[in-house]
Amino acid sequence: MKRWFLAVVPVLLSLTVSAQNNRVVRGVVFDDSRKPMEGVVILADMSGEKTKTLRDGTFQMSIPQFSKKITASLDGFISHSLEVDGSYLVFTLKVDKDYEKRLAAQRQLREKEVADSLAQLKKVAQKAEKERLKADAARQKEVSDSLALLKKTAQVAEKERWYAETSRKKSVRRAEAEREDMER
């Protein structure tokens, strides 16, 4: 029990000391028309602490003393950084006019990649279909050849049966003729 206590106390003290080295920063983010912005990412430099603004555009976060700069960013807007000189920061984000162009270029690139992938898949599917048709033709030929062989074998067997039957009948007739000759 004493060992556990001695192990936990330094950890708790270090947490208390590190919490004392943090400071709370509050602020608000507006757009060009001074409307509060929700969902803006607020990132502290060096420490990586981050949060998002609320519906009213406000945020609050605890950052280490060594963090000197905070950046607000949101897709479609130009990121804005401020030095932490007090405890309340006011950001104004401007619309990124090139954002739509970049999105359109990314969309075109993705569409081209998808089209290229589909073309590649189509080629693979066509090749697979050709191979399947070739294999089907080979199987049909095998079946056709097997049926022809069976037909030929059946014809040969039928001829042999006919010759055997004819020979047997001739033998029976000869035997009857010989018996009749003997009886006379």
Side-chain angles (χ1 to χ4, degrees):
M1 181 73 163
K2 239 181 189 182
R3 288 183 193 167
W4 179 80
F5 182 75
L6 290 174
V8 171
V9 169
V11 171
L12 291 176
L13 286 175
S14 69
L15 289 175
T16 304
V17 170
S18 70
Q20 289 173 353
N21 287 335
N22 283 354
R23 59 185 161 164
V24 175
V25 175
R26 291 176 181 84
V28 65
V29 180
F30 296 107
D31 65 9
D32 286 350
S33 60
R34 299 298 289 168
K35 290 182 184 171
M37 297 180 68
E38 179 182 9
V40 176
V41 176
I42 308 298
L43 178 67
D45 72 336
M46 299 173 66
S47 71
E49 301 290 329
K50 72 175 164 178
T51 190
K52 286 188 176 185
T53 58
L54 302 175
R55 183 172 288 175
D56 62 357
T58 61
F59 68 90
Q60 176 178 320
M61 64 192 297
S62 178
I63 63 169
Q65 291 291 336
F66 61 83
S67 285
K68 301 294 183 204
K69 193 183 273 187
I70 301 237
T71 302
S73 61
L74 182 66
D75 285 347
F77 293 84
I78 299 171
S79 297
H80 186 198
S81 296
L82 292 174
E83 295 287 326
V84 181
D85 55 358
S87 62
Y88 198 81
L89 300 172
V90 178
F91 291 93
T92 302
L93 296 184
K94 298 180 190 258
V95 173
D96 184 355
K97 295 184 183 358
D98 295 331
Y99 181 72
E100 290 300 322
K101 290 178 188 173
R102 284 195 307 274
L103 281 181
Q106 288 173 352
R107 198 171 21 256
Q108 283 179 335
L109 181 62
R110 277 194 305 273
E111 287 171 358
K112 184 184 179 320
E113 289 172 349
V114 167
D116 291 347
S117 295
L118 288 175
Q120 188 66 24
L121 286 173
K122 186 176 179 181
K123 284 181 184 178
V124 169
Q126 287 172 341
K127 183 178 179 184
E129 181 65 12
K130 282 180 184 177
E131 289 175 4
R132 186 190 67 76
L133 290 173
K134 188 176 178 181
D136 283 351
R139 275 193 296 278
Q140 285 177 347
K141 185 173 179 345
E142 283 179 23
V143 168
S144 176
D145 290 350
S146 295
L147 288 174
L149 182 62
L150 283 173
K151 187 176 179 182
K152 210 177 237 186
T153 304
Q155 288 171 346
V156 168
E158 180 60 27
K159 280 183 182 177
E160 288 177 356
R161 188 196 63 75
W162 183 80
Y163 286 131
E165 182 68 26
T166 304
S167 295
R168 188 185 64 75
K169 284 180 182 177
K170 284 181 183 177
S171 295
V172 167
R173 275 189 237 137
R174 260 190 242 126
E176 284 178 2
E178 284 176 11
R179 194 181 66 209
E180 281 177 15
D181 284 343
M182 281 183 149
E183 287 179 1
R184 287 186 225 180

